[in-house]
Amino acid sequence: MVDWGGIETVLLDMDGTLLDLHFDTHFWTEHVPLRYAQRHEMAVEEAKALLYPRFRAVEGTIDWYCLDYWSRELGLEVALLKEEVDHLIAIHPYVPEFLEAVRNSGRRAVLVTNAHNRSLALKMEKTRLAGHFDGVVCAHDLGLPKENPAFWPRLRERLHFEPATTLLVDDSLSVLRTARGYGIGWLLAVARPDTRAPARDPQDFLALASFKDLMTNLTPLRSVSPSS
């Protein structure tokens, strides 16, 4: 699937990649409309009809991922609403084993997420994954989402990685396309971000069915970039 001999840095998305996207899908399509409907004394289906277009209007922007933005827009404490259904937060199979294998091979494993800092904190608390990374970068700290081409130079300035020897695993095809445009050398699309939904078409990207598949030929790192 990938040639580990040409990879030094592994960048990993969180929601839908390391974690089951079912939590986020349920939260935004069911739980938020439910609480919005209760607050405004309307039917849940009416709330969905109002909210879904508002969600779609900001997809791919930093506002879409910002809990503070949605709290202001909806008049709800969105971060607290997430805690009401945090029992749905779950790790995809073989994720901890894969992260440890990457680090034991001498490579860096870095979490790079569009998630808001409060959402990130909640998920790290629930999954106990924080200690498995060499670094964690939240797009909100850089001021841009991963879909924006200007995000990647900012990320490189922070992490000092070589694009050609970097692997990105993400469930977002738009993010993968932007990363490819920047020159990220290795790209994998998660085949089934939400385990309760059908597999997605990876289009022109290689699809990752399980992190177990990535560990089969994971060999120790040898210096592959001019800066190493």
Side-chain angles (χ1 to χ4, degrees):
M1 183 168 288
V2 299
D3 177 10
W4 282 108
I7 296 171
E8 292 182 319
T9 302
V10 181
L11 305 179
L12 298 144
D13 174 52
M14 182 172 67
D15 300 321
T17 299
L18 301 180
L19 305 186
D20 193 333
L21 194 62
H22 174 67
F23 167 82
D24 299 276
T25 302
H26 176 82
F27 180 76
W28 291 106
T29 63
E30 300 296 335
H31 195 64
V32 169
L34 171 65
R35 291 293 185 237
Y36 188 86
Q38 291 172 339
R39 181 177 181 85
H40 295 280
E41 299 182 342
M42 63 174 65
V44 174
E45 292 306 314
E46 182 182 356
K48 289 180 179 181
L50 290 172
L51 294 177
Y52 287 2
R54 295 174 68 177
F55 295 161
R56 288 192 294 269
V58 294
E59 281 183 359
T61 71
I62 201 70
D63 283 341
W64 164 236
Y65 302 100
C66 183
L67 302 191
D68 296 332
Y69 170 84
W70 288 116
S71 293
R72 292 192 302 270
E73 287 290 305
L74 305 180
L76 300 169
E77 288 293 334
V78 176
L80 295 181
L81 294 187
K82 287 205 167 195
E83 295 180 9
E84 293 179 354
V85 290
D86 64 8
H87 60 281
L88 296 176
I89 296 172
I91 307 171
H92 276 309
Y94 299 102
V95 164
E97 295 88 344
F98 172 73
L99 295 174
E100 287 307 297
V102 169
R103 299 179 72 194
N104 289 338
S105 76
R107 295 172 177 83
R108 284 193 298 171
V110 183
L111 178 64
V112 182
T113 179
N114 280 335
H116 187 270
N117 285 288
R118 292 183 68 181
S119 182
L120 172 63
L122 173 65
K123 289 172 179 177
M124 289 299 100
E125 179 184 355
K126 293 294 292 186
T127 63
R128 306 297 183 189
L129 280 180
H132 292 273
F133 303 106
D134 296 297
V136 176
V137 178
C138 179
H140 290 263
D141 295 334
L142 300 185
L144 294 168
K146 293 183 290 182
E147 292 90 334
N148 191 312
F151 170 86
W152 294 93
R154 295 188 187 184
L155 183 68
R156 186 179 184 184
E157 183 178 352
R158 175 169 292 199
L159 296 180
H160 307 290
F161 64 88
E162 291 297 325
T165 60
T166 295
L167 165 66
L168 170 66
V169 186
D170 207 298
D171 70 305
S172 168
L173 298 183
S174 60
V175 168
L176 290 168
R177 291 189 188 101
T178 304
R180 181 170 59 191
Y182 182 65
I184 300 298
W186 301 88
L187 301 162
L188 290 176
V190 177
R192 198 174 182 186
D194 184 335
T195 58
R196 303 192 194 186
R200 292 181 179 177
D201 179 3
Q203 298 181 16
D204 50 342
F205 294 100
L206 290 175
L208 176 66
S210 170
F211 280 97
K212 185 179 182 180
D213 300 334
L214 275 181
M215 293 189 284
T216 56
N217 63 339
L218 180 50
T219 54
L221 173 66
R222 294 181 180 179
S223 180
V224 295
S225 71
S227 63
S228 299

